[in-house]
Short mmCIF file of all heavy atoms in Angstrom, two decimals:
data_model
loop_
_atom_site.label_atom_id
_atom_site.label_comp_id
_atom_site.label_asym_id
_atom_site.label_seq_id
_atom_site.Cartn_x
_atom_site.Cartn_y
_atom_site.Cartn_z
N SER A 27 -174.38 -138.01 -127.37
CA SER A 27 -174.06 -137.24 -126.18
C SER A 27 -174.63 -137.89 -124.95
O SER A 27 -175.63 -138.60 -124.98
CB SER A 27 -174.65 -135.83 -126.28
OG SER A 27 -174.08 -135.11 -127.32
N ARG A 28 -174.00 -137.63 -123.82
CA ARG A 28 -174.50 -138.04 -122.53
C ARG A 28 -174.02 -137.02 -121.51
O ARG A 28 -172.88 -136.63 -121.51
CB ARG A 28 -173.97 -139.42 -122.16
CG ARG A 28 -174.46 -139.85 -120.79
CD ARG A 28 -174.11 -141.23 -120.46
NE ARG A 28 -174.50 -141.46 -119.10
CZ ARG A 28 -174.13 -142.48 -118.41
NH1 ARG A 28 -173.42 -143.42 -118.96
NH2 ARG A 28 -174.52 -142.60 -117.17
N SER A 29 -174.92 -136.56 -120.65
CA SER A 29 -174.59 -135.55 -119.68
C SER A 29 -174.22 -136.20 -118.35
O SER A 29 -174.90 -137.07 -117.85
CB SER A 29 -175.76 -134.59 -119.48
OG SER A 29 -175.44 -133.59 -118.59
N ASP A 30 -173.08 -135.80 -117.79
CA ASP A 30 -172.64 -136.21 -116.46
C ASP A 30 -172.45 -134.92 -115.70
O ASP A 30 -171.55 -134.15 -116.02
CB ASP A 30 -171.32 -137.00 -116.52
CG ASP A 30 -171.50 -138.38 -117.10
OD1 ASP A 30 -171.56 -138.47 -118.35
OD2 ASP A 30 -171.58 -139.31 -116.32
N SER A 31 -173.33 -134.65 -114.72
CA SER A 31 -173.35 -133.39 -113.97
C SER A 31 -173.53 -132.27 -114.96
O SER A 31 -174.32 -132.33 -115.89
CB SER A 31 -172.13 -133.25 -113.05
OG SER A 31 -170.99 -132.88 -113.79
N ALA A 32 -172.73 -131.21 -114.85
CA ALA A 32 -172.82 -130.07 -115.74
C ALA A 32 -172.03 -130.26 -117.04
O ALA A 32 -172.10 -129.47 -117.94
CB ALA A 32 -172.34 -128.82 -115.02
N THR A 33 -171.25 -131.33 -117.11
CA THR A 33 -170.41 -131.58 -118.26
C THR A 33 -171.05 -132.62 -119.17
O THR A 33 -171.49 -133.68 -118.71
CB THR A 33 -169.01 -132.10 -117.81
OG1 THR A 33 -168.46 -131.17 -116.90
CG2 THR A 33 -168.10 -132.28 -118.98
N THR A 34 -171.07 -132.32 -120.45
CA THR A 34 -171.60 -133.27 -121.43
C THR A 34 -170.44 -134.09 -122.02
O THR A 34 -169.41 -133.52 -122.42
CB THR A 34 -172.32 -132.53 -122.56
OG1 THR A 34 -173.38 -131.78 -122.00
CG2 THR A 34 -172.85 -133.49 -123.62
N LEU A 35 -170.59 -135.39 -122.03
CA LEU A 35 -169.64 -136.26 -122.71
C LEU A 35 -170.21 -136.57 -124.09
O LEU A 35 -171.35 -137.00 -124.21
CB LEU A 35 -169.45 -137.56 -121.94
CG LEU A 35 -168.85 -137.49 -120.55
CD1 LEU A 35 -168.70 -138.86 -119.94
CD2 LEU A 35 -167.50 -136.79 -120.59
#
Side-chain angles (χ1 to χ4, degrees):
S27 296
R28 178 173 173 192
S29 182
D30 288 80
S31 76
T33 305
T34 301
L35 297 181

